[in-house]
Amino acid sequence: MSPLSITRILPADATAAALRADVAQGLTRTPKQLPPKWFYDARGSELFEEITRLPEYYPTRAEREILLTRAGHIAAATGAHTLIELGSGSSDKTRHLIAALTELRTYLPVDVSESALTAAGEGLLADHPDLTVQALVADFLQEMTLPPSPGPRLLAFLGGTIGNLLPEERSAFLRSVHGLLSPGDALLLGCDLVKEEATLVAAYDDAQGVTAAFNKNVLQVINRELGGDFDPADFDHVALWNAEHEWIEMRLRARQDLTVKIPGVDLAVSFAAGEEVRTEVSSKFREDGMRAELAASGMELSQWWTDSAERFALSLSVRV
């Protein structure tokens, strides 16, 4: 069995420092905001897995459908010897791709969770004993260097996570991806598509209230890690479609005037009744817009696949 190697690029205390900085900056600005990455502690990850199984939440099923039907096309188009995955998590969907990439020698998953990387890597090696797994504990939004690996390489960024980045952040991210790749390497990118408002809002405001619990989980993270005294019952979950920017926004809206103390960042944060904290932006895309963004970063879009209902897309681009 090939060895599983895990390299920590992210300093052990980096996550705690980043949380302190994001809370201190985000809750003292106007309007208030928090980055969506803080949803994902152990409980938040469980809630998100539950969300992916909800009838209203189509992106995970739609992307999996494309991977199942197009994995062979992706393999033939790239001939990849190395698969790099950013934000790999459990590597669940990637298994379909790995099975199809018959020339694959190295899998290089990147995630902030060492435990997730270990579990996923061990599971993959059990099924693919000849595969080399070189995992990186890193934040893919920060500057990083990848270890040497055989080309051609395919970098996968799945799940529609690209939509959580604001336009200027997407531009910087895509330029950084270009810098990680060599000419002829490819990028496989998952993105949710613009569609009718009712479908979009329902995906982020399900009837069972799972997404509401997921949204409020960021308050529990702040309470646990920074000693905050948020009461999630003081806030309503809000999901709305911003037609101008073509993105969904998730917010937490204060039900009444209140003050929250967060000793870990030496803050007392006041909320007026009805005041909101934006916790997530999820941009939706059109093919022409995505093509233009990729071109601006030095990537040439060569393939565009959608699911049967045309709700979600996987694009394959080549680094030029």
Side-chain angles (χ1 to χ4, degrees):
M1 180 177 289
S2 299
L4 165 64
S5 67
I6 298 181
T7 302
R8 175 173 281 279
I9 295 176
L10 195 68
D13 61 348
T15 300
L19 175 63
R20 289 193 299 271
D22 286 344
V23 169
Q25 294 168 14
L27 295 184
T28 55
R29 58 171 292 166
T30 302
K32 296 178 173 67
Q33 66 181 45
L34 292 167
K37 65 182 178 181
W38 302 118
F39 293 139
Y40 295 95
D41 63 350
R43 177 56 179 156
S45 297
E46 290 173 0
L47 286 167
F48 184 72
E49 286 301 312
E50 191 174 343
I51 287 169
T52 65
R53 297 189 292 269
L54 293 169
E56 297 97 332
Y57 194 81
Y58 59 85
T60 302
R61 291 188 298 276
E63 186 177 51
R64 183 175 284 111
E65 176 193 323
I66 305 169
L67 280 171
L68 286 169
T69 57
R70 300 295 184 179
H73 296 83
I74 296 165
T78 63
H81 288 180
T82 295
L83 173 62
I84 304 157
E85 185 177 12
L86 304 183
S88 55
S90 65
S91 301
D92 179 49
K93 285 179 293 189
T94 325
R95 289 174 175 270
H96 306 306
L97 197 53
I98 289 172
L101 291 168
T102 55
E103 301 298 317
L104 191 67
R105 302 174 190 171
T106 302
Y107 176 49
L108 206 162
V110 180
D111 202 274
V112 296
S113 171
E114 185 169 350
S115 60
L117 288 167
T118 300
E122 290 174 348
L124 284 168
L125 286 172
D127 295 332
H128 304 277
D130 294 329
L131 188 66
T132 296
V133 179
Q134 297 176 276
L136 293 182
V137 182
D139 182 347
F140 59 76
L141 293 178
Q142 305 296 321
E143 185 176 347
M144 65 179 181
T145 302
L146 299 177
S149 60
R153 296 181 297 172
L154 172 62
L155 188 149
F157 190 44
L158 303 176
T161 307
I162 187 74
N164 293 143
L165 305 179
L166 295 171
E168 60 273 18
E169 294 170 332
R170 285 202 304 273
S171 177
F173 169 75
L174 290 172
R175 288 197 304 271
S176 73
V177 166
H178 179 273
L180 292 173
L181 300 178
S182 300
D185 289 346
L187 166 66
L188 183 67
L189 182 63
C191 63
D192 198 6
L193 302 179
V194 174
K195 57 186 68 68
E196 63 278 6
E197 180 176 349
T199 299
L200 287 165
V201 172
Y204 293 83
D205 193 11
D206 62 279
Q208 296 180 45
V210 182
T211 312
F214 176 67
N215 194 7
K216 293 184 181 185
N217 190 62
V218 71
L219 306 180
Q220 305 282 28
V221 170
I222 294 172
N223 286 351
R224 183 184 65 248
E225 300 297 330
L226 300 176
D229 61 358
F230 276 105
D231 182 349
D234 286 336
F235 292 84
D236 289 320
H237 165 67
V238 178
L240 55 86
W241 172 241
N242 185 318
E244 178 185 358
H245 296 293
E246 294 191 326
W247 65 43
I248 285 282
E249 293 186 19
M250 289 208 316
R251 304 175 182 179
L252 291 170
R253 179 182 293 156
R255 292 179 174 175
Q256 59 191 4
D257 292 348
L258 58 97
T259 299
V260 176
K261 295 178 182 178
I262 311 175
V265 286
D266 194 26
L267 275 183
V269 184
S270 296
F271 293 83
E275 186 177 359
E276 296 174 337
V277 183
R278 190 175 75 186
T279 53
E280 182 176 86
V281 161
S282 185
S283 292
K284 308 307 171 185
F285 298 91
R286 302 176 189 270
E287 182 179 355
D288 288 348
M290 193 77 262
R291 184 183 299 274
E293 290 194 41
L294 288 162
S297 71
M299 307 292 295
E300 182 180 352
L301 193 153
S302 60
Q303 299 285 345
W304 179 268
W305 299 294
T306 69
D307 65 298
S308 54
E310 299 185 343
R311 300 165 297 180
F312 196 94
L314 280 183
S315 65
L316 187 67
S317 303
V318 178
R319 198 269 205 196
V320 293

